[in-house]
């Protein structure tokens, strides 16, 4: 039922991807759906790059076994439903390169297994919510190319598993928080095309795992240690 509600929220399916989503076959055999073979519960929805137009139904919150949710590179609009926070098994949520609006959901605290959060290339507004600090396994956080405001929150330093952070092409302002120096596994930081100020925290150069720091088109001053 949750999948059918999701299909109802899709107004355009030019490639006919969702034609298989009907009662003539088991939902585990529908295009883009993967199920747990033992319990026959949906664990993966992968519909990236199919030019789908529509919104994301809040009924996705009922897919309680969902681990991977990929809707990258479509034409989706509207808000990311708050019901996302009910998916306690979710590991990968990717909705990059769409036209989603509103704020980043604030109730992701229930998604304690989340490793990848890709919101790149949408029209999201507001600040990076503090609830993201409650995601202990998060390895990739990409909120680049949106319309976010506020600063890079100090709580980012609590995400000890973080490997990749991108806040590029937003309206992020303020200093680079020293708390980022606590991220001993960090490989890439991308924060170009923002309104960041201040100097680079010198402790950041002690993070030996780093292979990329991209910070062009900001308002930094001072020297690089």
């Amino acid at each position: 039922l949750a999948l059918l509600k999701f299909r109802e929220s899709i107004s355009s399916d030019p490639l006919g991807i969702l034609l298989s989503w009907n009662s003539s076959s088991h939902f585990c055999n529908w295009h883009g759906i993967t199920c747990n073979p033992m319990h026959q519960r949906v664990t993966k929805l992968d519909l990236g790059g199919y030019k789908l137009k529509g919104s994301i139904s809040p009924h996705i919150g009922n897919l309680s076994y969902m681990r991977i949710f990929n809707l990258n590179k479509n034409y989706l609009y509207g808000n990311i439903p708050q019901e996302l926070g009910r998916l306690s098994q979710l590991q990968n949520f990717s909705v990059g390169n769409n036209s989603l609006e509103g704020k980043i959901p604030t109730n992701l605290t229930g998604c304690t297994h989340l490793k990848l959060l890709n919101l790149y290339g949408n029209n999201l507004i507001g600040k990076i919510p503090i609830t993201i600090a409650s995601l202990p396994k998060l390895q990739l956080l990409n909120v680049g190319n949106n319309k976010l405001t506020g600063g890079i929150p100090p709580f980012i330093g609590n995400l000890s598993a973080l490997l990749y952070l991108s806040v590029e092409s937003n309206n992020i302002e303020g200093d680079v928080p020293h708390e980022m120096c606590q991220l001993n596994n960090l490989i890439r930081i991308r924060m170009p095309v923002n309104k960041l100020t201040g100097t680079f925290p010198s402790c950041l150069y002690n993070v030996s795992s780093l292979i990329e720091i991209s910070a062009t088109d900001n308002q930094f001053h001072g020297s690089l240690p």
Side-chain angles (χ1 to χ4, degrees):
L1 180 59
L3 292 175
L4 291 175
K5 289 292 185 181
F6 174 85
R7 188 187 68 176
E8 285 179 13
S9 68
I10 301 300
S11 58
S12 177
D13 174 21
L15 303 179
I17 296 302
L18 301 180
L19 290 177
S20 64
W21 289 35
N22 58 65
S23 57
S24 63
S25 63
H26 193 277
F27 61 84
C28 290
N29 298 321
W30 293 355
H31 192 103
I33 298 299
T34 301
C35 288
N36 178 316
M38 182 179 297
H39 302 293
Q40 296 288 286
R41 301 294 294 269
V42 178
T43 58
K44 181 178 180 180
L45 186 151
D46 188 355
L47 294 173
Y50 288 130
K51 301 180 180 180
L52 300 174
K53 186 175 183 180
S55 59
I56 303 176
S57 169
H59 285 85
I60 65 165
N62 293 330
L63 299 169
S64 55
Y65 281 70
M66 180 78 75
R67 294 184 179 180
I68 299 175
F69 189 93
N70 176 25
L71 289 172
N72 286 339
K73 298 180 181 179
N74 283 292
Y75 301 107
L76 301 173
Y77 51 82
N79 294 346
I80 299 172
Q82 290 283 342
E83 285 78 3
L84 179 68
R86 288 158 48 183
L87 301 180
S88 60
Q89 303 299 314
L90 193 63
Q91 297 179 11
N92 180 329
F93 183 75
S94 299
V95 290
N97 292 296
N98 281 283
S99 298
L100 296 166
E101 303 166 341
K103 297 182 178 181
I104 299 172
T106 56
N107 63 340
L108 296 178
T109 51
C111 303
T112 53
H113 293 285
L114 197 62
K115 295 180 180 180
L116 187 152
L117 181 60
N118 177 19
L119 308 176
Y120 179 87
N122 284 285
N123 298 310
L124 300 174
I125 61 171
K127 299 179 180 180
I128 300 173
I130 192 171
T131 48
I132 286 181
S134 304
L135 304 176
K137 297 183 179 180
L138 196 64
Q139 297 178 5
L140 183 149
L141 175 61
N142 189 347
V143 295
N145 201 10
N146 279 284
K147 299 176 181 178
L148 299 175
T149 53
I152 299 176
F155 67 70
I156 290 291
N158 295 333
L159 301 174
S160 58
L162 201 63
L163 304 175
Y164 179 99
L165 171 66
S166 174
V167 297
E168 64 183 297
S169 300
N170 280 286
N171 294 305
I172 303 291
E173 56 190 9
D175 296 343
V176 177
H178 283 73
E179 287 80 358
M180 286 179 62
C181 303
Q182 301 169 21
L183 301 176
N184 296 321
N185 297 308
L186 198 60
I187 296 174
R188 284 187 165 88
I189 305 171
R190 297 189 55 82
M191 45 188 167
V193 197
N194 278 291
K195 299 175 181 178
L196 293 166
T197 54
T199 59
F200 262 67
S202 58
C203 59
L204 202 57
Y205 295 90
N206 294 327
V207 183
S208 58
S209 56
L210 272 173
I211 63 173
E212 178 186 5
I213 301 175
S214 175
T216 56
D217 292 302
N218 279 288
Q219 299 165 26
F220 293 117
H221 65 268
S223 59
L224 298 179

